[in-house]
Amino acid sequence: MTGAPTNAPSASAPSAVAGAAGTPVATFAGRRVALFGLGGSGLATARALLAGGADVAAWDDSPASRARAAEAGVPVVDLAGADWSAFAALLLSPGVPLTHPQPHWTVERAKAAGAPVIGDIELFCRERAARAPDAPFVAITGTNGKSTTTALIAHLLAHAGRETALGGNIGTAILSLPPPAPQRTHVVECSSYQIDLAPSLNPTVGVFLNVTPDHIDRHGTIAHYAAVKERLVAGAQTAVIATDDAFTAAAAARLEAAGKPVERVRTDGPHGAGWSCDGARLLRDGVAFADLAGSSSLRGRHNAQNALCASAAVAALGVDLATIAAGLATFPGLAHRMEQVARRGNVLFINDSKATNADSADKALRAFPGGVFWILGGRPKEGGIASLNGLFARISKAYLIGDATESFAATLEEGKVAYERCGTLDVALRRAADAAAASGLPEAVVLLSPACASFDQYPSFEARGEDFRKQVAMWLAARPQ
């Protein structure tokens, strides 16, 4: 079993400091450590440990991954036959089960030997504590919007002239970034898996966006999933929390009761103290400081939440509101997240392939008042799309693909939404685009917002989004202006 790959960075993501040398991990110098999972972040972790003087024994169930590691100079050792009493820690890839549905066998062996089970974020935190404990560090989590908010924070800091290092779950492994330093701000997206492996996570600013059902197979219950995510802000010097859902609101209340600084963000009012929005206008303590109207990269209320959280995080690091507003206006957006791919006549093509659950698709549908030709489907998640019933009036027609076709068709029938079974994305795109072009609507939106994982037909949401772009380009080429 290999670790889950982190998301590939978008071409439009802010550029981070080149980190070819990465961050050597000296906190395990001279000690023997086990490492399981030799995907991208696992290899980066092994290199960092070796560079810092650790004695590494690495393993992966995949022969191909083991071969790549050996070629890179990483010592490959079959951990099944290893002496676990000799290990100071187990470094676990975030893609490997820690607790649910059951602990991985390496976790059981480590616990029996009394060795802590940690990940690359924890190693970074220990290096920061040893090297430069005051080095600015922003960590971001939430079910939806993590990557956009992370990239936006890095963009705003770069716009303000700050040196930034962008990575974590958004792309570059954290230990492949340059080391923590007082003049350098690390901006790091953290998944719940990574937080679970980082007991000393203590960012300068922690951002907690939202909680909706996701990854329950890995955390057992949504309450445990939310509790794991809350750890990121619990250890932060300043917590930025979007309190639009019950889990995040409760987290903010707990931290405030403990006397910790909390910057509250609301997108559903009121417009008093804290960070809020009035339509596309962003407010701090009731006073507008920026306007997202006309922004193609920060469209919709969910992106207002992302922008408010990013603004609050950057303001906590001393950036003024005028600089923040100017930075928001120049943010190019991220690929596969409400990405405007093309416009032809009355037809707008939006690639929201990252919408892998119903809550994400909800945000996309709310961004348009109507005229949506919706492409959806894939490998469904718990709950399907029944929660989107209140938005069905915005949909002109739905185009179904993948494994979810029959279950989604039943929901759409109940909601009286016209739909077609298309099977694959190429068919869905052609039918949706043809219908949108012929609709006569002032604006017809061909929206890929699948509300599903991609793994029935694609290796990743990125691959699905790239196919959407390709199919749009082919449709446009066949109909020259």
Side-chain angles (χ1 to χ4, degrees):
M1 181 176 185
T2 61
T6 53
N7 297 336
S10 159
S12 59
S15 59
V17 176
T23 299
V25 174
T27 48
F28 280 95
R31 291 191 285 172
R32 187 162 175 77
V33 294
L35 184 150
F36 186 87
L38 288 166
S41 65
L43 272 178
T45 300
R47 291 190 184 103
L49 286 163
L50 290 167
D55 178 10
V56 177
W59 188 252
D60 193 296
D61 288 341
S62 164
S65 295
R66 296 197 300 267
R68 283 194 297 271
E71 289 173 6
V74 175
V76 175
V77 176
D78 187 350
L79 294 176
D83 175 10
W84 282 79
S85 66
F87 292 132
L90 167 63
L91 275 300
L92 195 69
S93 168
V96 181
L98 177 66
T99 56
H100 294 80
Q102 63 184 34
H104 191 258
W105 67 266
T106 56
V107 174
E108 299 282 18
R109 295 287 295 273
K111 288 182 176 178
V117 182
I118 57 177
D120 59 347
I121 302 292
E122 175 66 13
L123 291 180
F124 173 83
C125 291
R126 295 186 184 195
E127 282 301 305
R128 175 173 173 258
R131 288 170 176 263
D134 295 326
F137 171 30
V138 185
I140 303 93
T141 198
T143 305
N144 299 308
K146 295 187 296 296
S147 293
T148 295
T149 304
T150 302
L152 181 53
I153 289 170
H155 174 83
L156 294 176
L157 288 170
H159 183 82
R162 306 283 183 91
E163 181 183 333
T164 63
L166 170 67
N169 197 54
I170 194 173
T172 305
I174 191 169
L175 295 175
S176 292
L177 299 174
Q183 79 283 1
R184 178 181 300 128
T185 304
H186 280 74
V187 183
V188 179
E189 177 185 328
C190 295
S191 71
S192 57
Y193 304 165
Q194 291 171 314
I195 298 168
D196 230 359
L197 295 165
S200 65
L201 181 58
N202 61 340
T204 312
V205 181
V207 180
F208 191 6
L209 294 166
N210 46 58
V211 174
T212 60
D214 206 2
H215 303 308
I216 306 306
D217 59 329
R218 281 288 302 271
H219 295 292
T221 66
I222 189 171
H224 181 233
Y225 170 61
V228 170
K229 286 192 170 291
E230 186 177 333
R231 292 178 202 164
L232 181 142
V233 287
Q237 291 179 29
T238 298
V240 174
I241 305 180
T243 57
D244 289 343
D245 65 71
F247 289 107
T248 54
R254 279 189 287 269
L255 292 181
E256 287 171 337
K260 296 192 174 183
V262 176
E263 295 286 336
R264 282 178 172 258
V265 170
R266 293 290 298 271
T267 61
D268 55 359
H271 307 312
W275 304 79
S276 61
C277 65
D278 180 10
R281 294 194 312 147
L282 306 185
L283 296 83
R284 184 181 189 183
D285 297 333
V287 179
F289 67 91
D291 195 333
L292 302 180
S295 172
S296 61
S297 59
L298 293 170
R299 185 194 303 258
R301 197 178 83 173
H302 66 301
N303 273 320
Q305 181 186 81
N306 296 337
L308 285 165
C309 287
S311 299
V314 171
L317 295 175
V319 179
D320 64 88
L321 293 180
T323 301
I324 290 171
L328 290 170
T330 60
F331 180 58
L334 287 181
H336 316 301
R337 298 158 178 85
M338 291 296 288
E339 175 192 11
Q340 183 170 317
V341 171
R343 184 186 287 274
R344 170 70 63 82
N346 68 319
V347 183
L348 176 64
F349 294 91
I350 300 291
N351 169 20
D352 194 37
S353 182
K354 182 61 172 66
T356 58
N357 55 43
D359 186 69
S360 292
D362 177 288
K363 307 300 192 297
L365 291 171
R366 288 184 188 277
F368 305 100
V372 176
F373 294 78
W374 184 23
I375 301 172
L376 71 159
R379 182 175 293 176
K381 293 188 175 179
E382 183 178 352
I385 56 169
S387 62
L388 304 179
N389 186 279
L391 299 170
F392 285 173
R394 304 179 184 220
I395 301 164
S396 295
K397 196 167 186 178
Y399 301 83
L400 298 170
I401 63 174
D403 290 351
T405 293
E406 294 310 317
S407 61
F408 283 11
T411 304
L412 293 170
E413 282 188 12
E414 290 176 6
K416 303 189 185 315
V417 177
Y419 67 88
E420 292 184 33
R421 293 177 175 87
C422 299
T424 56
L425 183 54
D426 57 338
V427 176
L429 186 282
R430 289 197 301 272
R431 293 180 184 177
D434 287 346
S439 67
L441 293 168
E443 181 175 80
V445 182
V446 176
L447 171 67
L448 171 67
S449 191
C452 283
S454 62
F455 303 125
D456 57 339
Q457 296 179 331
Y458 297 93
S460 65
F461 75 80
E462 294 98 338
R464 178 170 59 190
E466 291 294 342
D467 191 23
F468 178 78
R469 287 181 185 159
K470 173 185 173 183
Q471 299 303 327
V472 169
M474 291 173 63
W475 187 87
L476 293 172
R479 294 158 181 80
Q481 291 180 310

